[in-house]
C-alpha cells in the first residue's frame, strides 16, 4: 500500500499547556480534516495553508476551543496530485470520521474530492479558485478564493480603462488555466474586447519564449497570463529577456511575494488582482478588512519568519468561517453546519467580506479584489 504523506495533528494546546481544561472535558474533539498541497508544484499554495491551519487550530484551542470542545486537525499533503487528494478524502471520511473537510489547494485536487464529499454529505470548503468548484452549486461544497471569472473581469476592466481593447491571453493547461481561459474569452466578449493571440502552455513548462514571440509581434496592446505555479514567473523572465513592450498582467494566482522572489526584477510593473491581505499594512483605518488582515500578518510573519501569503489567507478564512458556522449550528451535526455555512452573512475575512446563499457558495464579488502592481520589489495598490 502506498505510503501516505500525512501530517495529522492531535493539537498540542492541551498537553503543552500542562493540564486538561475543564471545558475540553465536556465533549469529544471536533475533527477537522484538511487536504493541501504542502509539497510538489503547488507547494507555494499548500505550504502556507498548512502552516496557517496548524497555527490557528492551536490558537483556538488555547483560547478555550469551540463550544467547549477542542479542535483536532487531521491534515494530509496530496503532493499536488489529484489522485492522492481523492484517496485522502476517502480516508478522512471513512477512517478518520472527520466533521468537515477543508481543501484542496488546487482546482484539480478539489474536483477529485467532490464526488466523495457529496456522496458522504460532509461540509467541504475548498481553498482553490476555479468557478467550476461551485458552479453549478453543489449542496456540500463551498470555496474561499475569488473566482477565475472575477479575476478576468477585474483585469479586463483595468485594461479597458487604460485604453487596451486588444490583448493576448496565455493560459496553462491545468484546471485553473483552462477554466480561466474560458471565463476570459467570455468576459472579453461581454466587454467588447478582442483576444488577438490565444496561447497555451504546460504547467511544468520551463520556457515560454515561443508563445511570447508570437505575442510580441501581434497587435495585442496588453498581455494576461492565467495560470498557477512557477510558470507565470518564468513567463515574466522570458518577457523581460525578449524585450516585450506590452504591459503584462497576471491573476490572483500570483498574488504572493513568492512570485516576486522567483521572477526577480522581471516582476517589476506587473499588475494583478489581489485580496486586501497583500496590502494590509497600507489599508486605511476605515477599511473593514484592515484589523483582521493586520492581525493575520502579524501572527503569521511573527511565527514563521516569512512573508504572509494570500493562499494562506484562504485557509485562515476557511477555518474561521467553519468555526463560526459550527457555533451558529450549535454543534457538528453535518446538515446544520452545511446550512449555517450557506447562511453566512457579512463575515469579514482577510480575502474579502463573505455573504453566502443557496445560490452562491463563494460569497464574494469583484469588489473583494484590489488591483496591485509590483514596484521596487513590493506590491502597491493601483489607485
Amino acid at each position: 500500500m502506498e505510503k501516505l504523506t500525512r501530517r495529522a495533528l492531535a493539537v498540542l494546546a492541551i498537553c503543552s499547556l500542562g493540564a486538561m481544561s475543564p471545558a475540553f472535558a465536556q465533549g469529544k474533539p471536533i475533527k477537522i480534516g484538511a487536504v493541501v498541497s504542502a509539497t510538489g508544484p503547488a507547494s507555494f499554495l499548500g505550504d502556507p495553508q498548512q502552516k496557517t491551519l496548524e497555527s490557528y487550530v492551536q490558537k483556538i484551542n488555547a483560547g478555550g476551543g469551540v463550544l467547549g470542545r477542542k479542535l483536532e486537525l487531521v491534515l494530509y499533503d496530496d503532493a499536488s496530485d489529484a489522485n492522492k487528494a481523492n484517496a485522502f478524502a476517502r480516508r478522512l471520511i471513512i477512517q478518520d470520521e472527520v466533521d468537515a473537510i477543508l481543501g484542496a489547494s488546487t482546482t484539480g485536487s478539489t474536483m477529485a474530492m467532490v464526488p466523495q464529499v457529496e456522496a458522504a454529505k460532509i461540509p467541504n470548503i475548498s481553498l482553490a479558485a476555479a468557478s467550476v468548484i461551485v458552479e453549478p452549486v453543489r449542496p456540500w461544497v463551498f470555496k474561499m478564493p475569488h473566482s477565475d471569472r472575477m479575476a478576468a473581469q477585474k483585469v479586463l476592466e483595468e485594461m479597458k480603462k487604460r485604453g487596451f481593447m486588444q490583448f493576448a491571453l496565455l493560459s496553462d493547461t491545468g484546471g485553473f488555466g483552462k477554466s480561466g481561459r474560458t471565463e476570459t474569452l467570455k468576459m472579453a466578449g461581454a466587454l467588447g474586447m478582442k483576444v488577438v493571440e490565444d496561447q497555451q502552455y504546460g504547467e511544468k513548462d520551463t520556457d515560454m519564449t515561443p508563445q511570447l514571440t508570437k505575442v510580441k509581434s501581434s497587435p495585442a496592446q496588453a498581455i494576461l497570463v492565467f495560470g498557477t505555479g512557477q510558470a507565470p514567473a518564468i513567463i515574466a523572465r522570458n518577457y523581460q529577456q525578449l524585450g516585450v513592450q506590452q504591459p503584462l498582467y497576471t491573476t490572483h494566482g500570483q498574488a504572493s511575494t513568492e512570485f516576486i522572489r522567483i521572477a526577480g526584477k522581471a516582476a517589476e510593473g506587473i499588475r494583478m488582482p489581489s485580496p486586501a491581505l497583500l496590502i494590509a499594512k497600507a489599508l486605511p483605518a476605515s477599511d473593514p478588512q484592515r484589523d483582521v488582515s493586520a492581525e493575520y500578518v502579524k501572527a503569521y510573519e511573527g511565527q514563521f519568519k516569512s512573508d504572509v501569503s494570500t493562499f494562506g489567507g484562504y485557509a485562515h478564512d476557511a477555518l474561521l468561517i467553519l468555526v463560526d458556522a459550527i457555533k451558529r449550528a450549535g454543534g457538528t451535526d453535518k446538515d446544520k453546519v452545511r446550512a449555517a455555512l450557506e447562511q453566512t452573512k457579512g463575515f469579514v475575512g482577510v480575502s474579502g467580506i463573505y455573504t453566502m446563499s443557496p445560490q452562491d457558495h463563494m460569497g464574494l464579488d469583484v469588489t473583494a479584489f484590489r488591483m496591485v502592481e509590483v514596484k521596487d520589489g513590493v506590491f502597491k495598490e493601483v489607485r
Side-chain angles (χ1 to χ4, degrees):
M1 185 176 180
E2 179 185 1
K3 183 179 179 180
L4 297 176
T5 306
R6 173 180 180 179
R7 181 175 293 203
L9 276 225
V11 179
L12 51 76
I14 296 173
C15 295
S16 64
L17 292 175
M20 173 72 80
S21 165
F24 288 159
Q26 302 303 313
K28 65 178 184 179
I30 295 171
K31 296 185 74 173
I32 297 176
V35 177
V36 300
S37 299
T39 60
S43 61
F44 71 102
L45 302 172
D47 177 68
Q49 290 168 355
Q50 173 178 296
K51 289 174 178 173
T52 297
L53 292 175
E54 292 175 347
S55 175
Y56 271 76
V57 164
Q58 180 177 338
K59 180 178 179 180
I60 290 168
N61 282 343
V66 178
L67 301 178
R69 298 163 62 184
K70 75 167 182 175
L71 300 183
E72 181 180 336
L73 180 65
V74 185
L75 187 150
Y76 295 100
D77 171 19
D78 68 14
S80 308
D81 184 325
N83 291 325
K84 289 183 179 180
N86 178 284
F88 288 140
R90 180 177 178 83
R91 185 181 179 97
L92 286 169
I93 293 166
I94 297 174
Q95 181 173 321
D96 298 314
E97 298 182 329
V98 297
D99 296 302
I101 298 175
L102 305 180
S105 300
T106 68
T107 298
S109 286
T110 295
M111 296 309 293
M113 291 165 55
V114 162
Q116 295 194 69
V117 166
E118 288 286 287
K121 296 184 177 181
I122 183 168
N124 171 218
I125 305 177
S126 174
L127 308 179
S131 299
V132 68
I133 295 168
V134 291
E135 295 179 13
V137 172
R138 296 173 172 84
W140 296 90
V141 181
F142 301 79
K143 80 178 185 76
M144 291 293 95
H146 315 71
S147 71
D148 41 17
R149 182 183 303 119
M150 290 166 56
Q153 180 181 347
K154 188 72 174 181
V155 171
L156 267 55
E157 287 179 344
E158 161 76 3
M159 285 184 183
K160 191 171 183 179
K161 186 164 65 174
R162 297 175 73 184
F164 306 147
M165 298 301 293
Q166 299 185 133
F167 69 98
L169 174 63
L170 276 70
S171 55
D172 72 34
T173 54
F176 181 64
K178 285 181 179 178
S179 181
R181 175 178 177 273
T182 298
E183 296 300 337
T184 301
L185 294 175
K186 290 179 183 176
M187 190 60 62
L191 294 174
M193 301 172 71
K194 186 176 181 180
V195 179
V196 294
E197 276 291 340
D198 183 7
Q199 298 285 328
Q200 292 179 283
Y201 61 89
E203 291 178 285
K204 298 181 181 180
D205 287 357
T206 58
D207 181 19
M208 272 64 79
T209 53
Q211 293 94 327
L212 285 167
T213 298
K214 291 182 179 180
V215 169
K216 183 179 180 181
S217 60
S218 78
Q221 298 167 300
I223 305 166
L224 170 58
V225 177
F226 222 118
T228 57
Q230 296 187 6
I234 295 172
I235 289 175
R237 295 204 300 264
N238 293 158
Y239 167 93
Q240 183 185 57
Q241 291 160 0
L242 289 172
V244 181
Q245 295 301 308
Q246 296 101 319
L248 183 61
Y249 289 84
T250 68
T251 69
H252 54 315
Q254 283 68 58
S256 165
T257 54
E258 183 69 3
F259 170 75
I260 297 177
R261 186 188 68 78
I262 297 172
K265 292 182 179 180
E268 286 294 310
I270 294 176
R271 292 187 178 187
M272 65 190 73
S274 168
L277 175 63
L278 206 58
I279 52 170
K281 296 174 183 177
L283 294 174
S286 59
D287 193 306
Q289 287 184 264
R290 176 176 173 170
D291 289 346
V292 65
S293 297
E295 179 183 343
Y296 175 57
V297 170
K298 182 179 179 181
Y300 186 93
E301 294 184 350
Q303 180 172 354
F304 300 110
K305 311 304 179 188
S306 60
D307 292 328
V308 74
S309 160
T310 56
F311 310 120
Y314 298 136
H316 169 280
D317 291 351
L319 177 62
L320 296 189
I321 280 181
L322 177 60
V323 166
D324 177 66
I326 290 171
K327 288 178 179 178
R328 287 185 286 111
T332 53
D333 179 277
K334 293 179 177 60
D335 284 309
K336 291 181 179 179
V337 172
R338 192 211 69 81
L341 284 170
E342 198 170 75
Q343 294 161 11
T344 298
K345 305 293 181 187
F347 185 95
V348 180
V350 301
S351 309
I353 301 175
Y354 292 86
T355 294
M356 308 279 191
S357 74
Q359 295 77 39
D360 183 358
H361 279 198
M362 175 179 62
L364 297 175
D365 62 27
V366 73
T367 62
F369 267 140
R370 320 293 172 104
M371 183 60 66
V372 299
E373 180 178 342
V374 180
K375 288 187 176 182
D376 299 322
V378 296
F379 290 103
K380 301 285 187 180
E381 185 170 10
V382 176
R383 298 185 182 277

